[in-house]
Amino acid sequence: MTLHLLQLHNVRVIGTGNVVVVLGHGFGTDQSLWKQVIPHLVDEYRLVLFDNMGSGATDPDYFSFDRYSTLHGYAYDLLALLEELQISSCIYVGHSVMGIVGCLASIERPDLFSKLILVSASPRYLNDVNYFGGFEQEDLDQLFEAMQANYKAWVSGFAPLAVGDDMDSFAVQEFSRTLFSIRPDIAFDVAKVIFESDFRGVLPYVTVPCHILQSNKDLAVPVVVSDYLHQNLGAKSIVEVLQTEGHLPQLSSPNVMVPALKRHLELSI
Amino acid sequence: MRAGVNTVQQTLTPEAANILMQAVSEARRRGHAQATPVHVAATLLASPNSPLRRACLQTHPHSSQLPQCRALELCFNIALDQLQAAQGPLPNGQPSYSNALVAALKRAQAHQRRGCPEQQQQPLLAVKVELEQLIISILDDPRVSRVMREAGFNSTDVKSHLEEIASHHASPLVIPDTIRLPLGVTPIDQMGFPLGVVRPSLLGGFSLPHHINRFSNGAATQERTDLQHHMRPFRITPSPYMNPILLKSGSAIPSVTCEESNQVLEVFLRKKSRNPLLMGDSAARVDDIVKDVIQRLERGTGPEQLHGVKVISANLSCMTLINASKEDLCSRFAELNKSVQELICSGGVVIHMGNLQWLEKQVRSTGSQTAGFYPVQHAASEMKELLARHRDCNRVWLMASATNHTYQNCQALYPSFESQWDFCPISIGASRISTLSTARCSSQGTGIDSLTLSLLPSSGASSQPKVPSEDDGQKLTCCADCSKKYERDAALLQEQECPKNPESPQSCSSSIESPSKAIVDQSLQPSVGSQPALPLWLQKALPAGSSSIATTTNEVREKTPSFSMRLQELRKKWNRTCRNLHSDHLPSWSESIEVSQQQPSPLSSQVSGNPSECTLSLLRERSIAPKPILETLTSLSGHHPSSNVMPLNAKIPGIQSTKTHQLLQARAHNERVHENNNCSPSMLRLSWQTPHSAMPMMRSTEAAVPCSTSESVTQCQPSRTFLRMNPELLGQLCKSLAKKVSWQPKIISSIASTVVQCRAGLSKRAGGLSLRGDTWLLFLGYDRPGKRLMAEALAECSFGDNKKPICMSFGKHQDVSSPDTWNLGLNVPLRGKMPLDQLAEAVRHNPSSLLYLEDLEQADSIFRSSLTRAMSKGRLVDSSGREVSFNSVIVVMTSSVGTCSEVSTTSICGTQNRNDCSQQHNEDHGSYLQASHELNQANKRKPSWNVHGDSDENESSKLLKRSNCGRGLDLDLNMAAEDNDKAPVFTSHVPTQDACSVTGNTKPDLSDEDVLRGARIQLGEFCDLVDAAVVFASPV
């Protein structure tokens, strides 16, 4: 079973440091998202990399639409992995949706996390009264419709938008590759769950210090969201807005992202 | 009686004592005078690593653990909230232990003593109760199990799970750090990354300090082989966070499987009945175990005596047999025989026969076989011979698997196959799965909705699915003791016969009967005095002339069974009792059959007096039910017909028979059988007897019924049943609805029937029968006044004359043309309150009321998704996470989406209109949500552009946008966005409510289907989730 779980999530543990850093990738990517970051961290940290269930590198048979109908499913996966690896304390770096998942997991087991680093995370993507998440319901409807109609076409349209770069750029190519490797029905389901999630209510319960990293210009997560997180998180938090574009700064601008990430891993608030 | 805190503490191990202390302080915190088992259970659940929590999650039948766990915590919280606070200051400032808790502790102590033989001689105080014993005894507490049941957990299951763990491992709570892997699994993952290196380096770093020196330098590769022993800490319980899919399909064998394959291997070692027959309905589990056994045999990791034993497959299956000719088979068996002989020399052989399905299946289709050759029989006899030939050498084994159903059929067909083949049945997936699935098989036979089964909890293990046959009551088969008792009863019966007074309760004589009588009476009380027991909302709708109860009852009672029949019953009863009491392997379900047969009968004999004829028809159905199965099986085999009754019995574990009963009634209702008076003697026979063996179960039934929030279920069930059966109620409701909304005749019946059904707990949304009574209706179409009137009428019929609906409108403005009784206040939220919270608040104050949510399509998506969740759960979770029960709420949601094909903005009216409405509203102090008084302030708070917008007709695009996204967004961010405004957005498929209500009449008529389709596009799953979506035709 042990082997099984770790295998299914393609868990890799690399690095020689004493501090464990768990890297969680967001929607549409897999652990390769971090590949430009890893070389800079392996010497100081022990990195735990894994794929979320449902991402392109995992066996779709194990994707449970029921379990992952809420982000809690991922949070429990994360906790199961940590327990399986017998990690008693770690710094968790979560990108996009996995940032919120990290928050959820930390609410459940605050003892396992010493620090959360949230990269481009958003508790809610839809606009609401007094909340600007960046999406209107119509936008989402269109998005879902497009996803269902022609997944490939949607990917090729969505990837450049999300990354904020040209179609030919490395980051976009990379993102479209991972995005496209997800089984379309799973991608649709996951996207729906993510975009319709609203975890503003749980933020006050987070007790682990949070470092929020945010691209200056991000289609999926407006900058105000990072401020919202900062205001509403129950724990100490700090926001750094990176001078980058796009939702995946670690892919598109590693030169900015890596130093910032190292800084936040190193320093505590 | 109340032990002092300190004395009790001494009898516990530190961890158990710690839990107890926490529970006591919890009780103190809540101001309770006593610490009860519920406190302890809640404390046990509170810590994320508690074994109780783990066990709960593992035994829960459904995969999604999170909500269940939350529900459990919540239920315990509620239960604690309901406990009465102490009056006055606590003595000693400490809560004392309640009697129930003291009893639980004593139980735990007794168990503990029994558990460890070496401690048996020690004085009582020296025995320290371990935490797991404490948990087990806490689970025995009726109150705790009731609370757990409310949350969907079965405390007996959890308990047996814990006991199982406890019996297998001396101390399940301590995880041994390293254990050698039984199987040499190569620890390389898919990516070629050696996990053996990975894990221990982590282990070393974090939890096993003695490894740290070895691994921290990273030169771990050379120690790979050594590491493998450490890489998998032997977990008895998997992480509670683990994806259940992995648990189910895990290729690694969970420890339980190991236990069971051990059991199988042990069977091989026996002298007699040494061929394991794995019985279980979970094919995957059985396969796992078979695989494991084979693996262990071949690797020689099994017991020593089995070393060198090989496994061969007999390769018998339906497919291979169906077309096999005699020659084929003969040659095949000759081959098998040869290889068996060879293998015997090398140590022994296990012939794996696979699933025995072929044995059962083929025989059924024998009729179609030509030339008088029966391949199955042939194969079976060949197999038998093979076995007999090598019986002496003791080195040939069989191994087979079967589902419970198959097993029973085989038994029926070949009554002696078990002994001939020397089989030892081992039931796999014991308690839960087997019984349940047996029930599933059989229920298909009788045609009882498979729905029944989803309601069934797992019942006790039925490891010996053999039913003692011939219990037709023709002769007395019991032992001497029981025969004596029978004779005594028979004599009593004779006495009764003389005064001919069968219906007086005393005459039913036997002393055992009186307690059960009491229970029956209690459960009957509401239905006999039917008026007061009805829920408030339906008392009104009850027809006035429901009086003839007594007369009908008597009529029914007068038809008493003949004396001989009763004697026969008595014989039956004692046979049964004797079997239950004095036979060694007592199948637990044999009690439940009694209940399932008897339990409804006392009810029906009296309830039948009510206008609900169907109860009797239910009874009839019940009494007929066993027949088809019997007949079919008798005609098939002629052997032991009654042994096949078993599946039917197992289907209805007594503990849930109330529900089953209810469901059957529902079924009876569907079939609409209307013959109450000419009932057959067999039915009466049923209703007369109440054998004592049924009693304990009945009592447990009563105890086990979860207490619903407002009313005791035992009380409300008969009344609910009554309601459901009563067509007049439906008529009544239809009539009053039609009176109010005469111009919508088409939809009235569907609304009324949906409401009646849902209120009776039969909503399709809840997946059939439930204790929930919430009703969700979606009104589509133009007719806004019609919808309102309909809702009003519904509220009156359902909750009483003065009950007005609670309204929330998400539309932009008030419709002036609405009747003056109806002023819908809220289109601006209370300051600082989200509509969701308002709604939750409203329901909290008026738990049974009608909620009228107008223009739902304009509500924001949080609200809508919360509603969706509430629909499926029956509870609404507000934004702060608190839940409010919707159990007795009717929710009417209206929307006019899909009705308009274009948008007009002409009707957006100014604010003074709203003010008028709100004033009127404030005067009306019904049950309206008093919220609109905030309206004025809210308007003042609005940025000025809003007011401008209202007056500025040209900015139609802005208005359109605002109305689409619910209430205008009072958000600066958005305002900025709109100020930069772009080209006007024109969305043709998103009509505004305003447009519809005003221009609706002039729109071309759309068919209902069109409207529904349109609504489905707009509202998504809403349309499919509600109990009924009705389309109001446009008023002519």
Side-chain angles (χ1 to χ4, degrees):
Chain A
M1 192 157 31
T2 304
L3 219 54
H4 208 58
L5 179 77
L6 298 181
Q7 267 179 354
L8 279 175
H9 284 279
N10 303 325
V11 173
R12 287 202 298 154
V13 182
I14 45 179
T16 50
N18 288 325
V19 178
V20 178
V21 175
V22 179
L23 300 170
H25 69 83
F27 168 65
T29 54
D30 55 37
Q31 52 180 289
S32 67
L33 173 75
W34 302 104
K35 66 182 170 192
Q36 300 184 72
V37 180
I38 291 169
H40 304 275
L41 302 178
V42 276
D43 295 335
E44 289 150 72
Y45 301 100
R46 189 161 295 173
L47 304 177
V48 176
L49 291 160
F50 66 97
D51 290 334
N52 276 324
M53 211 49 94
S55 75
T58 57
D59 185 348
D61 285 348
Y62 290 96
F63 181 85
S64 151
F65 287 94
D66 183 35
R67 181 176 171 92
Y68 301 115
S69 63
T70 125
L71 298 188
H72 285 285
Y74 300 98
Y76 280 90
D77 276 358
L78 175 63
L79 291 173
L81 284 176
L82 295 183
E83 286 208 341
E84 207 59 57
L85 293 168
Q86 304 203 343
I87 293 171
S88 54
S89 173
C90 71
I91 298 177
Y92 176 79
V93 183
H95 174 246
S96 183
V97 64
M98 281 305 275
I100 296 302
V101 167
C103 291
L104 294 176
S106 78
I107 293 170
E108 183 81 15
R109 291 290 304 275
D111 52 311
L112 292 181
F113 302 91
S114 60
K115 189 194 292 182
L116 299 178
I117 298 180
L118 315 176
V119 184
S120 311
S122 169
R124 178 186 160 105
Y125 296 87
L126 261 174
N127 295 340
D128 190 14
V129 189
N130 298 326
Y131 177 80
F132 187 69
F135 289 87
E136 287 289 344
Q137 186 61 49
E138 311 151 41
D139 305 336
L140 289 188
D141 290 344
Q142 279 173 11
L143 183 122
F144 295 145
E145 215 170 284
M147 270 183 101
Q148 273 181 312
N150 185 342
Y151 186 65
K152 192 171 184 182
W154 173 78
V155 168
S156 51
F158 181 74
L161 273 177
V163 179
D165 214 335
D166 290 337
M167 191 64 207
D168 307 326
S169 72
F170 164 77
V172 174
Q173 288 295 319
E174 192 60 19
F175 184 52
S176 358
R177 178 184 68 80
T178 52
L179 196 54
F180 193 65
S181 64
I182 308 175
R183 211 171 73 186
D185 59 328
I186 293 179
F188 175 69
D189 195 74
V190 174
K192 224 170 145 57
V193 167
I194 293 174
F195 281 116
E196 286 174 355
S197 66
D198 181 2
F199 285 100
R200 291 176 297 170
V202 307
L203 296 179
Y205 299 105
V206 177
T207 51
V208 179
C210 294
H211 299 238
I212 300 155
L213 298 183
Q214 170 68 40
S215 264
N216 193 20
K217 201 173 161 200
D218 184 342
L219 172 112
V221 184
V223 181
V224 283
V225 170
S226 58
D227 194 50
Y228 182 90
L229 283 172
H230 180 58
Q231 300 290 340
N232 288 278
L233 276 169
K236 288 183 290 184
S237 60
I238 188 168
V239 180
E240 178 165 352
V241 177
L242 307 172
Q243 293 309 308
T244 54
E245 277 192 21
H247 189 55
L248 303 106
Q250 58 274 63
L251 268 187
S252 55
S253 335
N255 51 339
V256 183
M257 176 68 186
V258 171
L261 186 59
K262 283 186 87 163
R263 206 163 45 237
H264 285 278
L265 284 171
E266 215 165 284
L267 305 171
S268 291
I269 41 171
Chain B
M1 187 68 200
R2 306 222 168 109
V5 173
N6 289 329
T7 27
V8 173
Q9 299 260 312
Q10 285 168 10
T11 65
L12 305 174
T13 55
E15 37 182 2
N18 185 26
I19 291 287
L20 205 61
M21 279 311 291
Q22 284 178 32
V24 170
S25 58
E26 170 76 11
R28 190 175 45 225
R29 198 175 60 73
R30 289 178 180 264
H32 295 150
Q34 295 190 334
T36 64
V38 180
H39 287 102
V40 180
T43 317
L44 280 167
L45 277 174
S47 71
N49 274 328
S50 92
L52 176 58
R53 195 184 166 110
R54 233 167 240 219
C56 285
L57 288 178
Q58 278 160 16
T59 50
H60 198 270
H62 298 301
S63 56
S64 53
Q65 307 173 334
L66 172 76
Q68 265 78 28
C69 206
R70 290 264 174 280
L72 190 62
E73 279 171 27
L74 213 81
C75 282
F76 271 105
N77 255 328
I78 291 169
L80 287 178
D81 285 341
Q82 282 169 351
L83 289 177
Q84 276 190 343
Q87 270 104 30
L90 299 173
N92 320 328
Q94 275 272 42
S96 59
Y97 296 114
S98 74
N99 287 343
L101 184 54
V102 172
L105 290 171
K106 292 217 165 116
R107 274 201 302 273
Q109 215 167 16
H111 281 302
Q112 192 74 46
R113 266 160 69 84
R114 216 175 313 152
C116 0
E118 71 274 10
Q119 288 187 350
Q120 248 160 19
Q121 304 309 319
Q122 296 176 4
L124 193 64
L125 262 182
V127 184
K128 299 273 190 195
V129 174
E130 279 166 24
L131 183 56
E132 76 227 70
Q133 287 297 351
L134 181 67
I135 296 174
I136 287 170
S137 58
I138 287 294
L139 284 173
D140 273 333
D141 186 80
R143 209 180 143 77
V144 169
S145 65
R146 198 163 55 215
V147 175
M148 288 182 69
R149 196 175 300 280
E150 274 183 75
F153 288 89
N154 188 333
S155 62
T156 33
D157 266 12
V158 177
K159 192 183 132 197
S160 59
H161 182 83
L162 279 168
E163 280 171 343
E164 203 180 341
I165 295 173
S167 64
H168 291 159
H169 311 281
S171 170
L173 306 175
V174 181
I175 297 172
D177 47 2
T178 51
I179 274 186
R180 254 164 212 279
L181 279 180
L183 314 175
V185 190
T186 30
I188 306 276
D189 71 7
Q190 289 162 346
M191 310 175 68
F193 197 92
L195 278 162
V197 181
V198 169
R199 274 192 57 85
S201 63
L202 277 167
L203 289 178
F206 299 104
S207 55
L208 296 173
H210 63 277
H211 286 151
I212 203 157
N213 297 332
R214 264 198 255 164
F215 309 127
S216 54
N217 55 13
T221 356
Q222 63 195 52
E223 295 178 67
R224 265 277 291 288
T225 42
D226 188 29
L227 292 179
Q228 284 180 16
H229 303 145
H230 301 291
M231 59 158 285
R232 189 157 79 160
F234 187 71
R235 261 175 208 274
I236 289 138
T237 49
S239 159
Y241 305 117
M242 187 81 87
N243 188 341
I245 294 188
L246 306 190
L247 296 184
K248 261 182 256 158
S249 57
S251 64
I253 295 131
S255 53
V256 190
T257 310
C258 289
E259 285 309 318
E260 270 155 348
S261 45
N262 273 340
Q263 212 181 331
V264 173
L265 291 174
E266 270 164 31
V267 170
F268 283 131
L269 300 179
R270 288 203 207 164
K271 285 254 151 41
K272 282 197 89 180
S273 45
R274 49 207 278 277
N275 299 328
L277 170 61
L278 282 75
M279 276 181 357
D281 286 314
S282 148
R285 285 272 293 135
V286 172
D287 280 354
D288 273 352
I289 293 163
V290 167
K291 259 184 227 153
D292 188 38
V293 168
I294 293 177
Q295 214 166 18
R296 285 168 78 166
L297 284 175
E298 303 212 315
R299 286 168 199 265
T301 48
E304 257 178 58
Q305 297 96 310
L306 293 178
H307 282 184
V309 170
K310 293 276 174 285
V311 182
I312 55 173
S313 167
N315 200 13
L316 296 168
S317 70
C318 306
M319 284 314 290
T320 55
L321 283 174
I322 197 159
N323 295 320
S325 67
K326 191 167 183 177
E327 293 72 36
D328 251 6
L329 274 181
C330 285
S331 66
R332 211 157 358 131
F333 272 99
E335 230 170 86
L336 187 68
N337 203 359
K338 217 170 92 192
S339 39
V340 166
Q341 239 146 17
E342 276 165 25
L343 288 168
I344 286 176
C345 307
S346 71
V349 59
V350 173
I351 304 171
H352 177 41
M353 309 224 309
N355 198 325
L356 286 183
Q357 221 174 5
W358 56 274
L359 197 60
E360 147 210 48
K361 229 188 195 124
Q362 273 292 307
V363 178
R364 289 196 172 168
S365 55
T366 6
S368 66
Q369 289 295 325
T370 49
F373 175 66
Y374 303 98
V376 172
Q377 273 92 333
H378 185 83
S381 62
E382 283 274 5
M383 212 64 210
K384 222 180 298 169
E385 268 175 44
L386 185 72
L387 203 65
R389 220 172 293 151
H390 303 287
R391 182 158 278 170
D392 301 329
C393 72
N394 268 343
R395 296 313 282 177
V396 179
W397 290 271
L398 287 182
M399 179 163 69
S401 60
T403 61
N404 292 330
H405 189 58
T406 306
Y407 177 78
Q408 284 137 27
N409 282 340
C410 288
Q411 264 199 332
L413 295 166
Y414 308 94
S416 56
F417 92 108
E418 213 178 292
S419 60
Q420 278 174 353
W421 294 19
D422 225 7
F423 271 137
C424 168
I426 299 171
S427 89
I428 303 296
S431 46
R432 309 149 36 91
I433 306 156
S434 57
T435 343
L436 229 136
S437 334
T438 317
R440 190 163 295 131
C441 300
S442 58
S443 77
Q444 281 156 4
T446 42
I448 289 164
D449 296 343
S450 53
L451 213 70
T452 331
L453 301 153
S454 62
L455 292 166
L456 295 181
S458 36
S459 71
S462 62
S463 53
Q464 287 279 357
K466 217 197 276 177
V467 155
S469 46
E470 67 261 331
D471 188 24
D472 47 8
Q474 290 309 323
K475 57 178 190 260
L476 203 59
T477 56
C478 50
C479 63
D481 265 5
C482 293
S483 314
K484 255 182 230 154
K485 286 179 191 152
Y486 157 75
E487 273 157 25
R488 203 188 55 213
D489 275 9
L492 272 170
L493 197 62
Q494 191 112 42
E495 278 170 35
Q496 287 165 26
E497 200 60 13
C498 303
K500 282 269 177 203
N501 188 12
E503 66 263 77
S504 80
Q506 303 92 311
S507 65
C508 294
S509 71
S510 70
S511 58
I512 330 139
E513 213 144 331
S514 44
S516 79
K517 207 70 185 178
I519 293 162
V520 169
D521 284 347
Q522 194 189 346
S523 63
L524 273 173
Q525 193 209 349
S527 59
V528 174
S530 54
Q531 285 294 61
L534 281 179
L536 185 73
W537 72 276
L538 267 168
Q539 280 179 21
K540 195 169 162 286
L542 198 74
S546 62
S547 55
S548 59
I549 300 169
T551 49
T552 341
T553 314
N554 287 339
E555 237 175 279
V556 175
R557 281 189 179 176
E558 262 153 32
K559 305 196 174 181
T560 48
S562 70
F563 177 58
S564 63
M565 262 151 114
R566 293 169 68 176
L567 261 186
Q568 190 179 330
E569 281 312 314
L570 204 59
R571 272 196 293 269
K572 237 188 194 170
K573 183 181 102 181
W574 279 110
N575 285 350
R576 214 157 30 210
T577 315
C578 176
R579 202 171 64 228
N580 288 344
L581 293 176
H582 302 131
S583 80
D584 301 340
H585 49 88
L586 145 132
S588 62
W589 36 258
S590 70
E591 278 183 354
S592 73
I593 185 195
E594 250 91 272
V595 180
S596 63
Q597 280 183 353
Q598 319 309 337
Q599 199 262 351
S601 49
L603 257 181
S604 50
S605 66
Q606 304 197 21
V607 173
S608 56
N610 286 335
S612 62
E613 337 48 355
C614 299
T615 330
L616 259 188
S617 65
L618 154 80
L619 184 56
R620 156 163 301 179
E621 189 175 74
R622 284 283 227 144
S623 59
I624 296 170
K627 274 187 200 155
I629 256 202
L630 273 182
E631 277 161 9
T632 41
L633 286 164
T634 322
S635 62
L636 267 176
S637 58
H639 289 299
H640 301 282
S642 52
S643 71
N644 296 296
V645 181
M646 203 285 283
L648 184 81
N649 307 343
K651 175 182 66 230
I652 310 156
I655 213 142
Q656 277 285 320
S657 53
T658 344
K659 277 196 174 175
T660 320
H661 174 176
Q662 209 183 15
L663 190 99
L664 284 166
Q665 281 179 323
R667 218 172 95 76
H669 173 56
N670 288 342
E671 292 177 5
R672 289 186 190 278
V673 192
H674 295 279
E675 17 178 4
N676 55 336
N677 285 337
N678 44 357
C679 38
S680 73
S682 75
M683 290 179 341
L684 281 161
R685 195 177 69 209
L686 264 174
S687 61
W688 171 75
Q689 48 162 300
T690 331
H692 81 288
S693 53
M695 256 179 42
M697 288 309 244
M698 285 183 72
R699 229 184 273 143
S700 69
T701 311
E702 211 197 21
V705 171
C707 65
S708 83
T709 42
S710 53
E711 57 217 319
S712 152
V713 179
T714 24
Q715 282 193 346
C716 75
Q717 262 175 6
S719 56
R720 274 202 179 152
T721 312
F722 171 65
L723 294 174
R724 204 178 315 130
M725 300 308 152
N726 191 353
E728 281 165 61
L729 169 75
L730 195 65
Q732 198 89 1
L733 194 58
C734 282
K735 234 180 270 167
S736 28
L737 290 185
K739 218 187 282 169
K740 278 260 189 181
V741 198
S742 52
W743 60 93
Q744 299 283 14
K746 272 191 251 166
I747 49 175
I748 280 175
S749 69
S750 77
I751 293 178
S753 63
T754 311
V755 169
V756 170
Q757 259 185 24
C758 292
R759 303 285 304 177
L762 275 177
S763 104
K764 63 171 186 202
R765 179 173 32 81
L769 189 69
S770 70
L771 293 173
R772 290 166 46 185
D774 51 335
T775 311
W776 298 75
L777 298 169
L778 181 61
F779 289 180
L780 298 167
Y782 309 125
D783 185 9
R784 181 181 280 245
K787 292 177 193 172
R788 293 180 176 182
L789 277 177
M790 186 72 82
E792 200 172 356
L794 260 181
E796 272 174 27
C797 295
S798 310
F799 303 108
D801 264 334
N802 300 320
K803 272 283 201 180
K804 292 273 183 263
I806 295 174
C807 326
M808 274 177 110
S809 176
F810 296 93
K812 273 294 288 170
H813 78 296
Q814 292 311 301
D815 192 348
V816 212
S817 62
S818 69
D820 23 273
T821 47
W822 267 79
N823 290 302
L824 305 172
L826 305 175
N827 61 351
V828 177
L830 273 169
R831 195 200 302 208
K833 277 215 166 183
M834 307 214 317
L836 181 61
D837 295 329
Q838 293 176 32
L839 184 67
E841 200 59 31
V843 177
R844 217 166 272 142
H845 288 130
N846 290 292
S848 34
S849 50
L850 189 140
L851 302 176
Y852 187 77
L853 311 177
E854 198 168 47
D855 301 335
L856 188 76
E857 78 280 0
Q858 295 182 53
D860 59 281
S861 64
I862 327 172
F863 186 81
R864 267 154 59 175
S865 59
S866 303
L867 274 190
T868 320
R869 252 168 280 145
M871 263 188 246
S872 52
K873 282 186 181 164
R875 277 164 304 186
L876 184 77
V877 183
D878 67 15
S879 63
S880 53
R882 285 188 301 168
E883 291 191 345
V884 55
S885 164
F886 264 48
N887 268 357
S888 48
V889 168
I890 297 179
V891 185
V892 174
M893 298 170 284
T894 79
S895 172
S896 50
V897 290
T899 46
C900 316
S901 52
E902 57 184 90
V903 174
S904 93
T905 53
T906 51
S907 62
I908 296 176
C909 64
T911 35
Q912 89 267 26
N913 215 340
R914 271 185 257 167
N915 291 345
D916 292 349
C917 297
S918 68
Q919 271 159 22
Q920 277 174 321
H921 170 80
N922 284 345
E923 286 156 23
D924 184 72
H925 54 276
S927 62
Y928 286 12
L929 203 60
Q930 300 280 335
S932 59
H933 59 274
E934 288 278 340
L935 188 74
N936 292 327
Q937 288 102 319
N939 272 345
K940 274 178 208 148
R941 285 170 62 227
K942 275 191 184 173
S944 55
W945 58 266
N946 195 7
V947 182
H948 291 160
D950 280 349
S951 58
D952 194 347
E953 300 277 347
N954 293 332
E955 292 192 339
S956 57
S957 65
K958 192 189 276 182
L959 287 172
L960 176 59
K961 182 152 191 203
R962 215 177 313 131
S963 54
N964 279 343
C965 55
R967 291 149 270 101
L969 281 173
D970 305 353
L971 184 72
D972 294 6
L973 285 160
N974 267 25
M975 194 179 75
E978 279 178 42
D979 279 351
N980 300 341
D981 223 344
K982 325 130 183 191
V985 198
F986 192 83
T987 40
S988 61
H989 68 289
V990 186
T992 61
Q993 170 61 39
D994 315 290
C996 296
S997 57
V998 173
T999 55
N1001 292 351
T1002 62
K1003 291 277 172 276
D1005 265 339
L1006 290 162
S1007 75
D1008 291 0
E1009 286 76 33
D1010 291 336
V1011 175
L1012 264 178
R1013 206 177 310 127
R1016 205 159 271 150
I1017 293 169
Q1018 267 279 274
L1019 296 172
E1021 48 188 6
F1022 249 99
C1023 298
D1024 306 314
L1025 276 175
V1026 289
D1027 292 311
V1030 287
V1031 180
F1032 280 65
S1034 54
V1036 188

